[in-house]
């Protein structure tokens, strides 16, 4: 029921300005002009809601999961861009500027005040740029911290520009009721940034952590463990993730999301499995024990707690093992009676982490570039492998939890659904989103 409730809240928030604008009313106009205003109103309200979807709010990410949250965030941003693109062109043929005898209040006339139009044009261009930068972030290859900063500042600037354009250039936005509605909604959106970048860091400053150990797992993978200093630590479920900031101020942008690979039952220390990819991760091996750290979490709903399925399948690609390892460790520590089977895929044999801990029983190792002496599965985690590892009964009854590259997860998810696995028995978390 929680995802359904959150969807209803979203739909209410997005359509509220549109409903109120219709209620405020005004002299009737041609359909294409009303459609233009409607699309502009929806685009603005959807953009403001993007602040909430992209903010670190546990009620959302823990309620529906990060996969759903981020995918919805992306789709709505692109939809808002389409609405914004169509918005000005639908006004074709509408009188502009000056007084008209039939329109003494100018309610049927578009403004030609450049200050009111310029903010809309600027927001229009910024929104397109922001969406393109988000889609092409990997190809553009700029620092994650720089992208976060540009994304946040750009989104806030778009909201402010649209507020000015809507109130001073819009037919409905200039109405006192609508002006207040837009002011409140923009304030809430900006407040979400304030919460993430000011209030959360203030809370973190009072709850520091210290690096307990840094252990090399493979040539490019590490386990970093932190321990709470002066507080009880993190109340989390196995499989969740947190934002980790090591060696910087809690107000620094240099924090990154990592899945927790430790188990809650193992104690207050929290461990993260980290692969060398970006600027921070390439320096993990240089971090010294005792370095101050800050942890914001937990987030996500990749958890098997409270599930009643007779078995749990953990399917990992590369460093996607991290949250699934946390789940496996928790199940072993608590004596969970459910059957469990692990599929763990990598490219090379020296990329396999925690092999001694994982063991060989009920664990299937897959290598896409195996050595000549390799006796395990080869190739990729695909439909054929799934059918070899799991019976028809297991596919229809077990819970499938997966984390790894998008292509692997798309293939596995599609196959499971095709074979009859209900969608609520498939939990997934991706590394990135296109």
């Amino acid at each position: 029921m929680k995802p359904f409730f959150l969807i209803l809240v979203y739909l209410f928030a997005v359509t509220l300005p549109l409903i109120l604008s219709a209620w405020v009313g005004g002299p009737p106009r041609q359909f294409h002009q009303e459609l233009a205003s409607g699309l502009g109103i929806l685009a603005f309200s959807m953009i403001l809601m993007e602040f909430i979807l992209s903010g670190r709010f546990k009620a959302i990410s823990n309620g529906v999961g990060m996969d759903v949250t981020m995918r919805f965030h992306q789709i709505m941003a692109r939809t808002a861009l389409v609405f914004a693109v169509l918005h000005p062109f639908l006004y074709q043929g509408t009188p502009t500027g000056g007084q008209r005898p039939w329109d003494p209040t100018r309610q049927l006339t578009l403004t030609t005040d450049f200050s009111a139009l310029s903010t809309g044009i600027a927001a229009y261009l910024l929104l397109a740029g922001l969406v393109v930068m988000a889609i092409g972030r990997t190809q553009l290859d700029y620092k994650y911290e720089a992208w976060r900063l540009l994304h946040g500042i750009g989104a806030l600037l778009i909201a402010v520009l649209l507020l000015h354009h809507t109130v001073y250039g819009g037919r409905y936005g200039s109405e006192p009721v609508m002006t207040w509605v837009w002011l409140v909604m923009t304030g809430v959106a900006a407040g979400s940034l304030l919460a993430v970048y000011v209030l959360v860091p203030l809370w973190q400053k009072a709850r520091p952590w210290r690096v307990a150990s840094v252990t090399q797992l493979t040539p490019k993978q590490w386990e970093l463990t932190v321990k709470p200093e002066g507080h009880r630590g993190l109340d989390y479920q196995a499989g969740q993730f947190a934002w980790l900031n090591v060696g910087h101020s809690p107000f620094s942008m240099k924090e990154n999301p990592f899945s927790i690979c430790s188990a809650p039952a193992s104690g207050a220390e929290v461990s993260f499995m980290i692969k060398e990819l970006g600027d921070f991760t390439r320096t993990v091996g240089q971090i010294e024990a005792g370095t101050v750290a800050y942890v914001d979490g937990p987030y996500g709903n990749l958890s098997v707690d409270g599930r009643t399925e007779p078995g749990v399948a953990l399917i990992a690609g590369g460093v996607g093992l991290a949250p699934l390892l946390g789940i496996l460790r928790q199940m072993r520590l608590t004596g969970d009676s459910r059957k469990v089977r692990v599929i763990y895929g990598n490219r090379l044999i020296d990329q396999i982490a925690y092999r001694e801990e994982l063991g060989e029983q009920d664990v299937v190792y897959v290598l896409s570039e195996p050595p000549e002496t390799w006796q395990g599965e080869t190739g990729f985690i695909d439909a054929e492998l799934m059918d070899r590892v799991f019976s028809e009964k297991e596919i229809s009854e077990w819970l499938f939890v997966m984390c790894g590259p998008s292509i692997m997860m798309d293939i596995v998810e599609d196959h499971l659904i095709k074979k009859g696995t209900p969608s609520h028995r498939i939990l997934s978390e991706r590394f990135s989103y296109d």
Side-chain angles (χ1 to χ4, degrees):
M1 289 299 294
K2 193 171 186 179
F4 180 72
F5 173 74
L6 290 173
I7 290 173
L8 288 179
V9 171
Y10 177 85
L11 290 174
F12 173 78
V14 166
T15 58
L16 178 62
L18 188 64
I19 294 170
L20 290 177
S21 295
W23 175 68
V24 169
R29 298 183 300 176
Q30 295 181 16
F31 173 77
H32 69 89
Q33 296 167 5
E34 294 292 359
L35 180 60
S37 292
L39 290 177
I41 290 169
L42 283 175
F44 188 18
S45 58
M46 290 168 69
I47 288 168
L48 294 178
M49 286 301 295
E50 289 293 279
F51 285 79
I52 308 301
L53 291 175
S54 61
R56 303 211 297 253
F57 298 102
K58 296 176 184 176
I60 299 175
S61 65
N62 296 8
V64 299
M66 282 305 298
D67 259 26
V68 175
T69 301
M70 292 307 300
R71 179 59 69 191
F72 193 69
H73 171 69
Q74 291 173 323
I75 292 173
M76 291 301 101
R78 296 171 192 183
T79 303
L81 177 59
V82 171
F83 288 175
V85 167
L86 294 174
H87 164 67
F89 294 104
L90 288 172
Y91 282 120
Q92 293 296 323
T94 305
T96 58
Q99 289 288 339
R100 301 293 197 279
W102 62 85
D103 185 22
T105 62
R106 298 187 63 183
Q107 292 187 85
L108 300 180
T109 306
L110 285 180
T111 181
T112 52
D113 179 8
F114 182 72
S115 64
L117 293 176
S118 63
T119 49
I121 294 170
Y124 183 97
L125 297 174
L126 274 174
L127 177 60
L130 203 65
V131 172
V132 171
M133 285 178 64
I135 294 173
R137 180 168 66 91
T138 303
Q139 290 77 6
L140 293 173
D141 194 30
Y142 48 94
K143 291 184 178 180
Y144 175 73
E145 294 82 3
W147 175 80
R148 278 189 67 202
L149 182 62
L150 289 173
H151 202 69
I153 293 175
L156 183 60
L157 186 56
I158 289 171
V160 173
L161 290 170
L162 284 179
L163 177 63
H164 179 272
H165 174 68
T166 301
V167 171
Y168 290 97
R171 178 193 189 192
Y172 298 106
S174 60
E175 295 288 340
V177 172
M178 293 311 303
T179 297
W180 278 107
V181 167
W182 289 121
L183 281 170
V184 170
M185 290 185 67
T186 305
V188 171
S192 70
L193 290 181
L194 180 69
V196 171
Y197 295 110
V198 177
L199 299 183
V200 169
L202 284 173
W203 181 83
Q204 288 179 311
K205 192 172 180 64
R207 295 169 58 86
W209 297 67
R210 294 283 175 181
V211 174
S213 63
V214 179
T215 305
Q216 188 166 19
L217 304 170
T218 70
K220 289 191 176 183
Q221 293 182 109
W222 303 78
E223 181 181 271
L224 186 148
T225 301
V226 294
K227 58 184 178 182
E229 187 173 74
H231 57 94
R232 293 176 56 190
L234 193 66
D235 182 15
Y236 68 99
Q237 294 180 325
Q240 292 187 293
F241 73 94
W243 289 76
L244 179 65
N245 176 339
V246 180
H248 301 284
S249 161
F251 298 94
S252 170
M253 298 291 290
K254 295 183 178 180
E255 58 175 355
N256 295 270
F258 295 110
S259 293
I260 301 170
C261 67
S262 55
S266 65
E269 291 188 350
V270 175
S271 298
F272 302 90
M273 180 181 174
I274 301 173
K275 182 178 181 179
E276 294 181 21
L277 290 171
D279 296 307
F280 165 71
T281 56
R282 280 195 287 264
T283 64
V284 171
Q286 303 169 20
I287 297 173
E288 298 180 357
T291 302
V292 67
Y294 298 98
V295 178
D296 176 28
Y299 295 97
N301 69 344
L302 200 72
S303 170
V304 303
D305 292 1
R307 305 292 301 220
T308 59
E309 291 84 358
V312 178
L314 304 174
I315 304 169
V319 75
L321 176 68
L324 310 189
L325 179 63
I327 292 172
L328 182 63
R329 285 172 164 173
Q330 181 72 1
M331 293 180 72
R332 289 176 173 178
L333 286 172
T334 58
D336 197 306
S337 61
R338 288 172 291 183
K339 294 180 180 179
V340 63
R341 193 169 301 144
V342 179
I343 299 181
Y344 180 22
N346 284 285
R347 186 170 63 88
L348 303 171
I349 192 169
D350 64 2
Q351 294 174 337
I352 299 176
Y354 301 103
R355 188 167 186 179
E356 289 187 8
E357 179 180 349
L358 290 171
E360 300 295 330
Q361 185 175 0
D362 291 321
V363 179
V364 178
Y365 299 97
V366 186
L367 293 182
S368 60
E369 298 180 17
E372 292 183 1
T373 56
W374 179 250
Q375 299 296 315
E377 292 282 352
T378 61
F380 299 94
I381 301 176
D382 55 19
E384 290 74 18
L385 176 66
M386 294 293 293
D387 287 340
R388 289 198 299 273
V389 175
F390 299 101
S391 67
E392 294 281 346
K393 184 177 177 64
E394 290 169 342
I395 286 178
S396 65
E397 295 182 354
W398 279 29
L399 174 67
F400 289 83
V401 189
M402 61 189 79
C403 183
S406 294
I407 187 170
M408 176 203 84
M409 297 175 64
D410 289 342
I411 291 172
V412 174
E413 286 178 347
D414 290 345
H415 181 66
L416 288 173
I417 291 173
K418 182 180 178 181
K419 296 281 284 188
T421 306
S423 59
H424 67 271
R425 288 185 183 155
I426 303 174
L427 304 180
S428 59
E429 187 171 280
R430 285 162 171 76
F431 293 153
S432 60
Y433 306 84
D434 57 24

